[in-house]
Amino acid sequence: MLKHVVLFKFKPSTTPAQRKEFVAALKALPKTISDIKGWKVVETVPGRPERFSHVGLFSEFDDVAGLDRYIAHPDHKAFVALVDAYCESRANFDYV
């Protein structure tokens, strides 16, 4: 099982409504992408220092090929447009 972790940090200009839209869109991806085998989306504890990431994704795939199909999926690509619009940074980490 391949684990895929992503930490997202919002831009200061991202509104609470946009943050909510972002999290909802991220949580919806397993409904349409069958290669996802595990999926957990969490938000940071309120009041943490601004340097902390705001949203964490902890996901699982059978293998690298499944992760690559997820990355190429049109629904993932549509989500990446939200990442580009609302996030100032993201950190990805894959492990087995």
Side-chain angles (χ1 to χ4, degrees):
M1 188 70 53
L2 176 73
K3 314 282 191 199
H4 176 66
V5 178
V6 186
L7 301 176
F8 302 94
K9 185 172 182 351
F10 291 120
K11 295 175 183 177
S13 60
T14 301
T15 67
Q18 290 168 327
R19 288 178 179 219
K20 186 175 179 179
E21 173 192 6
F22 179 92
V23 170
L26 184 57
K27 287 182 176 180
L29 289 176
K31 296 174 187 170
T32 60
I33 304 177
S34 63
D35 281 296
I36 297 170
K37 304 304 178 192
W39 197 258
K40 184 175 183 177
V41 177
V42 294
E43 296 179 72
T44 195
V45 175
R48 300 311 301 152
E50 193 55 35
R51 71 182 188 285
F52 282 34
S53 295
H54 299 113
V55 176
L57 167 65
F58 301 88
S59 57
E60 297 178 338
F61 298 85
D62 284 334
D63 50 29
V64 173
L67 176 60
D68 289 344
R69 285 189 298 274
Y70 156 76
I71 290 169
H73 194 283
D75 291 344
H76 175 261
K77 289 185 176 195
F79 174 73
V80 170
L82 290 180
V83 175
D84 293 342
Y86 299 155
C87 294
E88 69 180 22
S89 68
R90 67 180 171 245
N92 299 30
F93 185 76
D94 299 331
Y95 67 99
V96 291

